[in-house]
Amino acid sequence: MEHDGSSSAGKIGALYVSPAKLSRFLSKEDRDRSVVLLDVETFCPGDHPTFLFNAILNSIKVRSGTLKRADYHFATMGVEVSVFPEGAKIVDYTQSAQLTVQYQTEIAKTATELSKAGAITLVAGDNKGDLNVSFESGIEHLVKGSAAFVSTENELVATYRTADLQWRLDPISAAKVIRQFQQGNLWLTRKLEATLPAWKVEVSVRPTELRAYSANMVNPLSDMKTLWMLTKMWAGGVAVRDRNGEVFTLSARKAP
């Protein structure tokens, strides 16, 4: 897009991510000890930079038992993703919904449309300079329908406050058949209209309620057994990496 005073950000050449803690930039070890990860695909159809966030809900597994070995899980009951743009305004976003098949179909359709616009390059950046990191995009997996979505036993609530936006995923209050905790991918879209050339977006992701679960993935452990599990994790050198969540800044750089 063409630069037009303060009403446009100019053509985006790359999007800088700081700190470089999106899922694609982390080691396998760091991903394995995270309960919530975030990644993002960025596109610019027309004059509107559009983000497709991938909130990845993961359980940390602890193998235990003498005769009968089984996996215990440390995971979150829900997740909260917040976005705070500076120099841009929000013009469209994923609305509140129950995570039905229709919701999944609409997200996959959006991903297909965005992929035709061409993705903007994401570059890891920090105060010491820019670090170019190669990665594989998750967009193709989503378009092909192979992404594992979170269970339909959940409700997504979007809170738009004009200047910022917050999504929160929580389980519907009912007995769960498969598992009580969250595991899978939550895909969220948000479209911006830049109002300043040097716009940026702060994104935060955090788990809502961390719990430990037995091997059947339904029954949460008691406080005493949870302490035992955390002690076992600590003894094995496994610490929860993102207990309080993460905050990222995405800033646009113009193409030459």
Side-chain angles (χ1 to χ4, degrees):
M1 61 185 172
E2 299 298 324
H3 176 55
D4 181 22
S6 62
S7 62
S8 170
K11 185 177 180 181
I12 302 171
L15 199 70
Y16 279 63
V17 183
S18 181
K21 291 185 178 180
L22 292 180
S23 178
R24 68 185 69 194
F25 297 132
L26 297 177
S27 66
K28 181 182 182 300
E29 180 183 359
D30 281 344
R31 289 195 296 268
D32 286 345
R33 60 189 185 93
S34 301
V35 291
V36 175
L37 297 156
L38 186 72
D39 215 296
V40 61
E41 305 289 347
T42 310
F43 308 88
C44 197
D47 289 342
H48 296 92
T50 301
F51 300 85
L52 183 59
F53 294 109
N54 178 12
I56 305 159
L57 300 148
N58 181 52
S59 71
I60 300 173
K61 301 173 184 63
V62 177
R63 194 76 170 165
S64 188
T66 304
L67 296 177
K68 186 178 180 181
R69 303 287 287 173
D71 286 334
Y72 288 75
H73 301 263
F74 192 75
T76 180
M77 292 282 287
V79 65
E80 186 177 275
V81 180
S82 303
V83 290
F84 308 90
E86 292 184 28
K89 61 182 180 180
I90 300 167
V91 295
D92 196 13
Y93 58 93
T94 298
Q95 303 288 322
S96 300
Q98 290 190 3
L99 303 191
T100 62
V101 173
Q102 178 63 28
Y103 167 84
Q104 299 175 11
T105 301
E106 288 299 319
I107 287 290
K109 179 181 177 182
T110 300
T112 302
E113 293 172 351
L114 289 176
S115 65
K116 295 175 182 177
I120 296 169
T121 302
L122 284 179
V123 179
D126 56 34
N127 294 331
K128 298 178 182 178
D130 300 323
L131 174 65
N132 289 297
V133 180
S134 62
F135 59 85
E136 291 185 2
S137 170
I139 192 71
E140 292 302 322
H141 295 285
L142 177 60
V143 171
K144 293 176 182 177
S146 60
F149 286 89
V150 292
S151 167
T152 57
E153 300 174 319
N154 294 287
E155 184 174 35
L156 176 68
V157 176
T159 304
Y160 172 57
R161 300 185 301 185
T162 306
D164 57 44
L165 173 65
Q166 181 184 92
W167 290 285
R168 185 178 170 108
L169 178 77
D170 286 302
I172 296 172
S173 298
K176 305 299 185 294
V177 176
I178 301 174
R179 60 178 176 268
Q180 287 279 7
F181 58 84
Q182 305 291 355
Q183 188 162 337
N185 300 82
L186 174 65
W187 297 85
L188 305 163
T189 62
R190 194 206 55 184
K191 183 185 292 185
L192 290 179
E193 180 180 317
T195 56
L196 293 174
W199 58 268
K200 65 179 181 179
V201 179
E202 183 180 281
V203 185
S204 70
V205 57
R206 69 179 188 91
T208 55
E209 183 181 353
L210 295 172
R211 299 287 296 271
Y213 293 86
S214 62
N216 67 12
M217 300 188 292
V218 174
N219 299 325
L221 299 180
S222 66
D223 290 345
M224 186 63 72
K225 287 186 176 180
T226 297
L227 182 60
W228 160 82
M229 181 174 171
L230 290 173
T231 302
K232 190 174 181 65
M233 289 168 60
W234 176 80
V238 179
V240 182
R241 190 189 66 85
D242 55 346
R243 185 179 298 218
N244 296 317
E246 305 256 41
V247 179
F248 311 86
T249 298
L250 309 176
S251 57
R253 302 291 173 90
K254 292 183 185 179

